[in-house]
Amino acid sequence: MFCSALLLFIPTFFAVSATPGLCMTLAMTLGMTIGVRKSLWMMVGELVGVALVSISSLIGVATILLARPNMFLVLKYLGGMYLFYLGIQMWRSRGKMAIPENFVQQGNVTRKSLITQGFVTAIANPKGWAFMISLLPPFINSELPLYPQAMILVAIILFFELVCLLLYAAGGHTLRHLLEQRGNVILMNRIAGSLMMCVGIWLVST
């Protein structure tokens, strides 16, 4: 019975994960500015956050958090303002994540800051919590042990999330190369900065 549920769960979650959202937009932006390889550190933080949200949803913690949305506010606003600030810096071709005029990849973006970006974006999004609460429980068979089922579902979620993050980051990297052919660094920074500011606004407004 659980196996038959997986046949429905896999395409359902893949479709949802592939839909543009906060984390996917962030991945595309970072893929464009710092490259896919460095963006992997953001993905580490994002996957940890998604795993936390998924497991919490299964054990009921998310229900409590959604019942008290004020617990999200500080994290949401701080995370959103930070991303918006980074977007402004990138728009002005300044800061660690802006693309330099000579197209040399930056080496001063710390792994810790990227991991934090991904983690905060994943756990501070109430829509992510609500989605996990609505999606995961129906696929759990109460007649079977919870732990093995939960591990399988979370593993599938993280796999598809990583695949989609890589695809979006690669798309941003491809866009960068297309714009590099014209040598328009300012345009690249402004596109990336606009996307980053949109992520920040989106995070605060959800």
Side-chain angles (χ1 to χ4, degrees):
M1 185 176 179
F2 180 67
C3 292
S4 61
L6 283 180
L7 296 178
L8 178 61
F9 177 81
I10 290 174
T12 299
F13 187 82
F14 178 76
V16 173
S17 185
T19 302
L22 289 175
C23 295
M24 298 305 155
T25 305
L26 182 60
M28 183 171 66
T29 304
L30 294 182
M32 180 179 178
T33 56
I34 64 175
V36 178
R37 181 175 297 180
K38 286 189 174 69
S39 299
L40 291 174
W41 292 106
M42 181 280 293
M43 297 177 196
V44 170
E46 196 270 346
L47 292 176
V48 171
V50 169
L52 177 62
V53 172
S54 302
I55 295 171
S56 298
S57 299
L58 289 173
I59 63 177
V61 173
T63 305
I64 299 174
L65 292 175
L66 286 176
R68 298 184 178 181
N70 288 337
M71 298 176 66
F72 279 113
L73 291 181
V74 174
L75 189 59
K76 276 182 56 178
Y77 288 128
L78 288 178
M81 288 188 293
Y82 176 62
L83 293 176
F84 190 81
Y85 167 77
L86 289 178
I88 293 176
Q89 291 290 89
M90 293 162 69
W91 175 273
R92 300 171 63 189
S93 297
R94 296 181 180 179
K96 296 179 180 180
M97 294 188 183
I99 303 170
E101 292 186 2
N102 59 3
F103 303 129
V104 176
Q105 294 286 337
Q106 296 91 312
N108 57 352
V109 182
T110 65
R111 295 175 179 177
K112 182 178 179 180
S113 65
L114 291 171
I115 292 173
T116 301
Q117 269 189 295
F119 182 76
V120 170
T121 304
I123 68 169
N125 183 10
K127 289 184 178 180
W129 289 90
F131 170 75
M132 291 300 180
I133 288 177
S134 63
L135 176 66
L136 290 179
F139 289 95
I140 295 295
N141 187 341
S142 59
E143 298 179 358
L144 299 174
L146 174 61
Y147 179 78
Q149 296 180 81
M151 292 301 100
I152 292 174
L153 292 179
V154 172
I156 292 172
I157 289 170
L158 295 182
F159 173 75
F160 283 132
E161 193 76 3
L162 177 59
V163 169
C164 292
L165 286 170
L166 288 171
L167 289 175
Y168 273 83
H173 192 60
T174 300
L175 177 60
R176 170 181 174 146
H177 281 301
L178 291 175
L179 292 173
E180 278 182 2
Q181 293 175 3
R182 297 185 178 182
N184 202 333
V185 179
I186 294 177
L187 178 59
M188 285 190 285
N189 279 324
R190 288 186 174 179
I191 291 174
S194 297
L195 289 172
M196 188 71 79
M197 285 188 281
C198 287
V199 172
I201 294 172
W202 193 352
L203 185 59
V204 171
S205 61
T206 52

